[in-house]
Amino acid sequence: MKFFFYTLVFVTIISSCSVLGLTSDYKELTKTERERVVKSFGDIDSLKADKSIYLVEVQQVKNYCKKHSQVVIYDYTPYCRSSSCMQVNDFVDMCKVNGVNPLVIGNTFWGITQQRKLGIPLLMIDPQPLGTKWRAQYITLFYNKLINSNALTPPNGLYLSFQNGNYIGSYNSCKEALESLHIKDIKNY
């Protein structure tokens, strides 16, 4: 009987907890924050740099990369503590000052609503068309479809560079991604 009681208590505690980061964490957003999330269609260039968080699909990002000669994408995880991560505003400014189009694509809603205005639209992977709610899976599927890879893991860096729609590589720093685009005298921001 004690075993049953302890099992019941354990299951109740576990089921009442929320483990952040396993899914998109959309359910953790407040009603006001959820109102900022917008399903986007068509051209990324037509999106406004406002407080909206735009859900995007792979094809929209591919089209953007084809339309612009040089693009660096930041696979953005809010509250990232890795040495590879940088402030999103610094990423955007560093790309712009070096003549490269920046794209910030969030991979979780956890903390993304705290992001201040970037001067570009804030994008978020739309997990629904990828057929999974599990964050690790939709990140892998999204980026592998973007770079036309069948790998079991996503690209190894947070910064992906594209030239004329062609994937150049993924890197652990924005500077490395800019160097891959043959930017001379990279200006740090």
Side-chain angles (χ1 to χ4, degrees):
M1 187 63 156
K2 283 184 180 181
F3 177 75
F4 176 73
F5 175 74
Y6 289 129
T7 303
L8 183 62
V9 169
F10 178 75
V11 169
T12 302
I13 290 171
I14 293 296
S15 65
S16 67
C17 293
S18 174
V19 180
L20 295 174
L22 295 178
T23 66
S24 71
D25 292 320
Y26 179 79
K27 292 179 180 178
E28 301 300 320
L29 299 177
T30 65
K31 183 180 182 229
T32 304
E33 290 170 334
R34 286 182 186 188
E35 291 171 357
R36 292 177 53 194
V37 178
V38 178
K39 171 76 173 148
S40 67
F41 299 96
D43 194 350
I44 289 174
D45 281 324
S46 68
L47 302 176
K48 296 177 183 170
D50 56 13
K51 288 190 148 206
S52 297
I53 300 165
Y54 295 99
L55 295 175
V56 291
E57 295 184 27
V58 173
Q59 193 57 52
Q60 289 173 278
V61 177
K62 280 186 175 188
N63 292 345
Y64 182 89
C65 292
K66 288 176 187 173
K67 186 175 180 181
H68 298 279
S69 61
Q70 295 180 316
V71 176
V72 174
I73 296 172
Y74 183 12
D75 176 15
Y76 176 56
T77 304
Y79 302 121
C80 176
R81 301 282 185 241
S82 166
S83 61
S84 295
C85 299
M86 65 188 297
Q87 292 294 319
V88 180
N89 291 74
D90 293 342
F91 164 76
V92 170
D93 293 341
M94 188 172 177
C95 286
K96 285 183 175 182
V97 78
N98 286 288
V100 174
N101 292 78
L103 272 186
V104 176
I105 304 178
N107 60 46
T108 179
F109 284 108
W110 180 52
I112 204 167
T113 58
Q114 307 305 315
Q115 185 56 51
R116 64 183 195 257
K117 201 168 183 180
L118 299 175
I120 63 170
L122 180 56
L123 310 177
M124 170 71 187
I125 295 172
D126 186 352
Q128 198 248 344
L130 298 169
T132 183
K133 69 177 186 176
W134 302 109
R135 184 169 161 244
Q137 288 179 341
Y138 70 68
I139 291 170
T140 299
L141 290 168
F142 184 87
Y143 284 107
N144 284 345
K145 284 183 178 191
L146 182 63
I147 65 170
N148 299 317
S149 171
N150 292 324
L152 297 175
T153 58
N156 198 18
L158 298 177
Y159 306 90
L160 290 79
S161 60
F162 291 81
Q163 190 151 25
N164 300 315
N166 297 312
Y167 172 66
I168 304 300
S170 64
Y171 304 91
N172 290 321
S173 74
C174 181
K175 184 178 180 190
E176 290 173 346
L178 292 171
E179 287 170 348
S180 74
L181 297 171
H182 307 290
I183 306 291
K184 303 271 191 239
D185 302 318
I186 294 174
K187 299 166 191 77
N188 290 319
Y189 194 84

